[in-house]
Amino acid sequence: MQRAIRKAAVIGAGVMGGGIAALLTGAGISTLLLDMVPSDLKDNEREDPDARNRIVKAGLDRAILSKPPLFFHPDDVGRISIGNFEDDFDRLSECDWIVEAVVENLGIKQDILKRVETHRKRGTIVSSNTSGIPLKKISEPLGEEFRQHFMGTHFFNPVRYMKLLEIIPGEDTLPELLTFMADFGERILGKGIVWAKDTPNFVANRIGVQGIVKAMQLMVEDGLSIAEVDAMLGTSMGRPRTAIFKTIDIVGLDVLRHVAENTYELVPDDEARDSFVLPDFAKRMIERNLIGKKAESGFYKTELTADFKKIRKVIDPRTLTYSEYTQPVFPCLSEAAKAKTLPEKIRAIVYGKDRGAQYVWKVLAHGLIYAANRVPEISDSIVNVDNAIKWGFNFEMGPFETWDAIGLEKSVRRMEKEGFNVPEKIMRMLASGNSCFYKTENGQRFYYDFIQATYRECPVRENILSLQVLKDSNRVARSCASASLIDLGDGVFCCEFHTKMNIIDKEIVDFLEEIFEHVSQNGSGLVIGNQAAGVPGTFSAGGDLPYMAMLAKDRKYSEMESFLNTAQQGLQSARYAPIPVVAAPYGMTLGGGCEVCLAVDRIVAHTELYMGLVEIGVGLLPAGGGCLNLWKKFLKSVPQVVTGLDLSKFFTSVFMNIALAKVSTSAADARANGFLGPNDRIVFNRDYLIAEAKKEVLSMVEQGYAPPIEKKIPVMGQAAQGMIKAEIYNMLKGGFISEYDAFLAEKIAYVLSGGDVRDNSEVEEEVILKLERKTFVDLWKQEKTVARVEHFLKTGKPLRN
């Protein structure tokens, strides 16, 4: 029988339970959310369903109101039904998967699962989201058939945004169920699967929490400040910008203490057990409720001055008093800023000479040694350990990848010289001539297996294509400094941007013509996509604003218009090419990046898609075909058989998208806003994007792809401009927009409506493209646009002038 999960239940409507339920509904799964009946019900409430469901309803409401949002789209809430432990356990018999996510208390979990056992249908998968209690203890009172269908599924918070899903087999779990859940978690829920053993805190928290607490201990030992540690252990080391202490403020210092103390109690034989003991200053902070954002004070806090300006303050761990934050400066960070690649940045810091570099070296050395000592205790594979840290803590590199980056032999020599206890398995590895944990040969990536003492192929799912592996295998067909054309096989190529933030610069614009010619002659289709690291990542942050600013400063307006014309024609070539072109966006897809996607045949998007035409924020409008193609996207959604269409409603929606610089909060939201059409797809797992886009190209080829015919498009002309002017006037009088916002909005309406044409006309596409170019250049001649651009380039924030 084919197994499927069509309905699920989540037991426990707390932070984790609500997040898991939201994720499941986004994947199209009907979900039952259960929690306790309130213990303080009054006599007149005991028969009232709303009162009895008060706790679960509050949990669901928290999930709905969460910022950032836990639901991909508000409509997903409709897939959730709620109930309580006393009245609704019989509804578990309808479910294919039951997730237990109640408080971390062994007795409570056992009691809940005993009740689940009596109500679930035979064969239903049951899992626990426990983060610290051994599965063996949880399942001890349960029957054999239950234990065969029981496992750990440890999600990370916030569930929607954290990629990691640790799957922990029980002693009796059926192997086929583990295989099924791994596939379901990866393919349907979009998670990165890490196989963990039933050991305390599994993989990510065991390694990650040890690293955090050890960093705190070494900070005290070396006399560094909170701000200095966060400056050193942030983005320059390939870690989140929240680094150590900002991250703890988000999670909660009390939560960190709970996990650390729980681990300490459960690992009596751990050689680094003491590195789970929080420093005294952290314990004193908890006593004073200085535990982070939920208490409004932690390692950092924000205060308002008398004139309502925000001042960021940071705590002194010695006195627990706050002072104004200042950005620390270290020579090694300056050197790292000059480096082009992450490994180069890390080496600049780790092998620096200043006290910040010395501190980072000690933190890293302790962490690398600890990770090596945990294999095979917590997992048999270094790949699992690396993935757990990358996906659970948002590091760009796991510990073993980082060890390769700093040089295994060089770092071990230093460790030995400084008295670190280097694991014997590392010494044996080096003695046998193996000087790296990962290597690539003949297009295949290999990792070093400590158990077999040899290299093994890194497991790769068939629906995951690695652009880096393909590049390492000499599959680059064309390249320039800003982009590459990579052969994906089967006649499909991929155009990958690799500028900073994947901005679309002049070199990419010029490159487009070359790649379309090459693929048309040598292939069957093109994917536009990349695989940049980070969460949520950046498909493209837009056009090359500094380049435009330079042209404007030198008054090279004709050169600017020529550049825009080349960009527009390049994207028009994509639209009318004899081959199918599919974009694979994810994360930030803004301005010019959005225009690229709007121009192609189809889009295969990741669920985390923050897409929008945001040019008005810097005093401009879309001029790479964005106005034209968003308008066409809306019109294309209407079947040709529909006549007498009221274009005003379509026009208002397109106009508002551009004039308000709307950015989608997800791919589902992008579809609701019209950036994705009915033929565009949404993929939950970002690792699948390139392969799925390739499949889309091949499917279109197999179906007999023919490029669209270029024809005139309907526009509203002056009627639309008059309609929009009335709306702009009301918003201006109400104080919702500035006079310059109103000026820009009128320009956008003018371009979208076709310019000086009569009402409800049809125009060639070039008419709107020409209006885009001319208006864009004219806006650069406005002082307020220049001021907006300069402010944005300096601060990264929009200016409302």
mmCIF file of all heavy atoms in Angstrom, residues 568 625 627-629 631 713-715 751-755 763-773:
data_model
loop_
_atom_site.group_PDB
_atom_site.id
_atom_site.type_symbol
_atom_site.label_atom_id
_atom_site.label_comp_id
_atom_site.label_asym_id
_atom_site.label_seq_id
_atom_site.Cartn_x
_atom_site.Cartn_y
_atom_site.Cartn_z
ATOM 1 N N GLN A 568 16.704 45.642 -21.439
ATOM 2 C CA GLN A 568 15.343 45.317 -21.865
ATOM 3 C C GLN A 568 15.348 44.324 -23.025
ATOM 4 O O GLN A 568 14.581 43.351 -23.026
ATOM 5 C CB GLN A 568 14.616 46.596 -22.289
ATOM 6 C CG GLN A 568 14.242 47.519 -21.134
ATOM 7 C CD GLN A 568 13.573 48.780 -21.631
ATOM 8 O OE1 GLN A 568 13.703 49.156 -22.807
ATOM 9 N NE2 GLN A 568 12.867 49.459 -20.749
ATOM 10 N N GLY A 625 11.845 46.379 -18.070
ATOM 11 C CA GLY A 625 10.666 45.658 -18.538
ATOM 12 C C GLY A 625 9.724 45.282 -17.418
ATOM 13 O O GLY A 625 8.721 44.586 -17.649
ATOM 14 N N CYS A 627 7.543 47.111 -15.564
ATOM 15 C CA CYS A 627 6.180 47.640 -15.710
ATOM 16 C C CYS A 627 5.428 46.857 -16.781
ATOM 17 O O CYS A 627 4.283 46.432 -16.579
ATOM 18 C CB CYS A 627 6.234 49.124 -16.072
ATOM 19 S SG CYS A 627 6.943 50.182 -14.800
ATOM 20 N N LEU A 628 6.084 46.677 -17.925
ATOM 21 C CA LEU A 628 5.474 45.940 -19.030
ATOM 22 C C LEU A 628 5.115 44.516 -18.628
ATOM 23 O O LEU A 628 3.976 44.060 -18.818
ATOM 24 C CB LEU A 628 6.431 45.919 -20.221
ATOM 25 C CG LEU A 628 6.069 44.958 -21.368
ATOM 26 C CD1 LEU A 628 4.802 45.428 -22.072
ATOM 27 C CD2 LEU A 628 7.231 44.818 -22.346
ATOM 28 N N ASN A 629 6.060 43.799 -18.055
ATOM 29 C CA ASN A 629 5.860 42.359 -17.853
ATOM 30 C C ASN A 629 4.956 42.030 -16.677
ATOM 31 O O ASN A 629 4.312 40.981 -16.680
ATOM 32 C CB ASN A 629 7.216 41.665 -17.720
ATOM 33 C CG ASN A 629 7.934 41.573 -19.059
ATOM 34 O OD1 ASN A 629 7.317 41.301 -20.085
ATOM 35 N ND2 ASN A 629 9.234 41.830 -19.062
ATOM 36 N N TRP A 631 2.343 43.927 -15.939
ATOM 37 C CA TRP A 631 1.045 44.175 -16.564
ATOM 38 C C TRP A 631 0.650 42.997 -17.454
ATOM 39 O O TRP A 631 -0.487 42.511 -17.400
ATOM 40 C CB TRP A 631 1.122 45.471 -17.371
ATOM 41 C CG TRP A 631 -0.107 45.846 -18.152
ATOM 42 C CD1 TRP A 631 -0.193 46.040 -19.496
ATOM 43 C CD2 TRP A 631 -1.428 46.105 -17.648
ATOM 44 N NE1 TRP A 631 -1.462 46.383 -19.863
ATOM 45 C CE2 TRP A 631 -2.244 46.438 -18.751
ATOM 46 C CE3 TRP A 631 -1.989 46.075 -16.379
ATOM 47 C CZ2 TRP A 631 -3.600 46.748 -18.610
ATOM 48 C CZ3 TRP A 631 -3.345 46.387 -16.236
ATOM 49 C CH2 TRP A 631 -4.131 46.716 -17.335
ATOM 50 N N ILE A 713 -0.544 44.985 -26.861
ATOM 51 C CA ILE A 713 -1.199 44.734 -25.573
ATOM 52 C C ILE A 713 -2.156 45.876 -25.262
ATOM 53 O O ILE A 713 -1.908 47.035 -25.612
ATOM 54 C CB ILE A 713 -0.171 44.590 -24.442
ATOM 55 C CG1 ILE A 713 0.707 45.829 -24.335
ATOM 56 C CG2 ILE A 713 0.677 43.359 -24.638
ATOM 57 C CD1 ILE A 713 1.592 45.841 -23.109
ATOM 58 N N PRO A 714 -3.271 45.552 -24.599
ATOM 59 C CA PRO A 714 -4.231 46.594 -24.239
ATOM 60 C C PRO A 714 -3.704 47.465 -23.103
ATOM 61 O O PRO A 714 -3.071 46.963 -22.172
ATOM 62 C CB PRO A 714 -5.464 45.809 -23.799
ATOM 63 C CG PRO A 714 -4.947 44.479 -23.383
ATOM 64 C CD PRO A 714 -3.738 44.211 -24.230
ATOM 65 N N VAL A 715 -3.924 48.756 -23.196
ATOM 66 C CA VAL A 715 -3.576 49.695 -22.131
ATOM 67 C C VAL A 715 -4.763 50.618 -21.898
ATOM 68 O O VAL A 715 -5.644 50.754 -22.753
ATOM 69 C CB VAL A 715 -2.324 50.516 -22.480
ATOM 70 C CG1 VAL A 715 -1.083 49.634 -22.514
ATOM 71 C CG2 VAL A 715 -2.491 51.261 -23.796
ATOM 72 N N VAL A 751 3.453 55.511 -17.253
ATOM 73 C CA VAL A 751 4.148 54.467 -18.007
ATOM 74 C C VAL A 751 3.258 53.240 -18.161
ATOM 75 O O VAL A 751 3.113 52.692 -19.272
ATOM 76 C CB VAL A 751 5.472 54.098 -17.308
ATOM 77 C CG1 VAL A 751 6.101 52.868 -17.968
ATOM 78 C CG2 VAL A 751 6.439 55.267 -17.336
ATOM 79 N N LEU A 752 2.660 52.784 -17.074
ATOM 80 C CA LEU A 752 1.839 51.570 -17.100
ATOM 81 C C LEU A 752 0.649 51.697 -18.048
ATOM 82 O O LEU A 752 0.232 50.711 -18.673
ATOM 83 C CB LEU A 752 1.302 51.271 -15.705
ATOM 84 C CG LEU A 752 2.077 50.325 -14.805
ATOM 85 C CD1 LEU A 752 1.402 50.222 -13.451
ATOM 86 C CD2 LEU A 752 2.207 48.944 -15.436
ATOM 87 N N SER A 753 0.110 52.889 -18.138
ATOM 88 C CA SER A 753 -1.110 53.077 -18.932
ATOM 89 C C SER A 753 -0.826 53.308 -20.405
ATOM 90 O O SER A 753 -1.759 53.450 -21.202
ATOM 91 C CB SER A 753 -1.910 54.259 -18.374
ATOM 92 O OG SER A 753 -1.146 55.455 -18.459
ATOM 93 N N GLY A 754 0.468 53.382 -20.784
ATOM 94 C CA GLY A 754 0.805 53.544 -22.195
ATOM 95 C C GLY A 754 1.124 54.953 -22.609
ATOM 96 O O GLY A 754 1.314 55.226 -23.802
ATOM 97 N N GLY A 755 1.160 55.869 -21.649
ATOM 98 C CA GLY A 755 1.528 57.254 -21.948
ATOM 99 C C GLY A 755 0.384 58.035 -22.558
ATOM 100 O O GLY A 755 -0.787 57.883 -22.160
ATOM 101 N N VAL A 763 -1.149 48.913 -27.787
ATOM 102 C CA VAL A 763 0.141 49.463 -28.198
ATOM 103 C C VAL A 763 1.154 48.347 -28.344
ATOM 104 O O VAL A 763 0.999 47.256 -27.771
ATOM 105 C CB VAL A 763 0.668 50.502 -27.177
ATOM 106 C CG1 VAL A 763 -0.295 51.678 -27.048
ATOM 107 C CG2 VAL A 763 0.926 49.853 -25.818
ATOM 108 N N GLU A 764 2.202 48.605 -29.107
ATOM 109 C CA GLU A 764 3.325 47.679 -29.184
ATOM 110 C C GLU A 764 4.057 47.663 -27.836
ATOM 111 O O GLU A 764 4.064 48.663 -27.102
ATOM 112 C CB GLU A 764 4.299 48.115 -30.288
ATOM 113 C CG GLU A 764 3.706 48.198 -31.679
ATOM 114 C CD GLU A 764 3.470 46.821 -32.289
ATOM 115 O OE1 GLU A 764 3.967 45.819 -31.704
ATOM 116 O OE2 GLU A 764 2.802 46.740 -33.341
ATOM 117 N N GLU A 765 4.677 46.546 -27.516
ATOM 118 C CA GLU A 765 5.400 46.445 -26.246
ATOM 119 C C GLU A 765 6.510 47.481 -26.144
ATOM 120 O O GLU A 765 6.803 48.003 -25.061
ATOM 121 C CB GLU A 765 5.974 45.029 -26.083
ATOM 122 C CG GLU A 765 4.906 43.973 -25.903
ATOM 123 C CD GLU A 765 5.477 42.587 -25.668
ATOM 124 O OE1 GLU A 765 6.719 42.445 -25.651
ATOM 125 O OE2 GLU A 765 4.687 41.644 -25.480
ATOM 126 N N GLU A 766 7.116 47.807 -27.271
ATOM 127 C CA GLU A 766 8.216 48.779 -27.267
ATOM 128 C C GLU A 766 7.758 50.153 -26.773
ATOM 129 O O GLU A 766 8.560 50.920 -26.240
ATOM 130 C CB GLU A 766 8.822 48.884 -28.667
ATOM 131 C CG GLU A 766 9.931 49.913 -28.808
ATOM 132 C CD GLU A 766 11.102 49.687 -27.854
ATOM 133 O OE1 GLU A 766 11.376 48.529 -27.484
ATOM 134 O OE2 GLU A 766 11.744 50.684 -27.477
ATOM 135 N N VAL A 767 6.468 50.455 -26.919
ATOM 136 C CA VAL A 767 5.961 51.745 -26.434
ATOM 137 C C VAL A 767 6.175 51.868 -24.932
ATOM 138 O O VAL A 767 6.667 52.879 -24.421
ATOM 139 C CB VAL A 767 4.465 51.913 -26.796
ATOM 140 C CG1 VAL A 767 3.877 53.140 -26.081
ATOM 141 C CG2 VAL A 767 4.291 52.038 -28.300
ATOM 142 N N ILE A 768 5.800 50.822 -24.181
ATOM 143 C CA ILE A 768 5.960 50.865 -22.729
ATOM 144 C C ILE A 768 7.429 50.769 -22.351
ATOM 145 O O ILE A 768 7.886 51.446 -21.422
ATOM 146 C CB ILE A 768 5.134 49.756 -22.060
ATOM 147 C CG1 ILE A 768 3.641 50.006 -22.293
ATOM 148 C CG2 ILE A 768 5.424 49.689 -20.555
ATOM 149 C CD1 ILE A 768 2.723 49.001 -21.654
ATOM 150 N N LEU A 769 8.180 49.964 -23.083
ATOM 151 C CA LEU A 769 9.617 49.860 -22.785
ATOM 152 C C LEU A 769 10.299 51.214 -22.971
ATOM 153 O O LEU A 769 11.147 51.608 -22.157
ATOM 154 C CB LEU A 769 10.266 48.810 -23.681
ATOM 155 C CG LEU A 769 9.855 47.358 -23.432
ATOM 156 C CD1 LEU A 769 10.490 46.433 -24.467
ATOM 157 C CD2 LEU A 769 10.241 46.909 -22.024
ATOM 158 N N LYS A 770 9.947 51.922 -24.019
ATOM 159 C CA LYS A 770 10.539 53.244 -24.253
ATOM 160 C C LYS A 770 10.140 54.218 -23.160
ATOM 161 O O LYS A 770 10.961 55.027 -22.695
ATOM 162 C CB LYS A 770 10.102 53.763 -25.628
ATOM 163 C CG LYS A 770 10.767 55.070 -26.025
ATOM 164 C CD LYS A 770 10.375 55.484 -27.437
ATOM 165 C CE LYS A 770 11.068 56.791 -27.829
ATOM 166 N NZ LYS A 770 10.693 57.206 -29.215
ATOM 167 N N LEU A 771 8.889 54.147 -22.725
ATOM 168 C CA LEU A 771 8.435 55.005 -21.623
ATOM 169 C C LEU A 771 9.199 54.682 -20.336
ATOM 170 O O LEU A 771 9.542 55.589 -19.563
ATOM 171 C CB LEU A 771 6.932 54.818 -21.404
ATOM 172 C CG LEU A 771 6.003 55.432 -22.465
ATOM 173 C CD1 LEU A 771 4.564 54.958 -22.238
ATOM 174 C CD2 LEU A 771 6.088 56.952 -22.429
ATOM 175 N N GLU A 772 9.431 53.395 -20.085
ATOM 176 C CA GLU A 772 10.232 53.011 -18.913
ATOM 177 C C GLU A 772 11.598 53.675 -18.962
ATOM 178 O O GLU A 772 12.061 54.277 -17.973
ATOM 179 C CB GLU A 772 10.404 51.490 -18.864
ATOM 180 C CG GLU A 772 9.196 50.701 -18.421
ATOM 181 C CD GLU A 772 9.509 49.211 -18.285
ATOM 182 O OE1 GLU A 772 10.691 48.832 -18.387
ATOM 183 O OE2 GLU A 772 8.564 48.428 -18.070
ATOM 184 N N ARG A 773 12.270 53.558 -20.102
ATOM 185 C CA ARG A 773 13.632 54.088 -20.217
ATOM 186 C C ARG A 773 13.653 55.597 -20.040
ATOM 187 O O ARG A 773 14.472 56.140 -19.283
ATOM 188 C CB ARG A 773 14.234 53.729 -21.588
ATOM 189 C CG ARG A 773 14.404 52.248 -21.836
ATOM 190 C CD ARG A 773 15.318 51.998 -23.040
ATOM 191 N NE ARG A 773 14.860 52.600 -24.279
ATOM 192 C CZ ARG A 773 14.057 52.015 -25.162
ATOM 193 N NH1 ARG A 773 13.585 50.790 -24.928
ATOM 194 N NH2 ARG A 773 13.720 52.628 -26.285
#
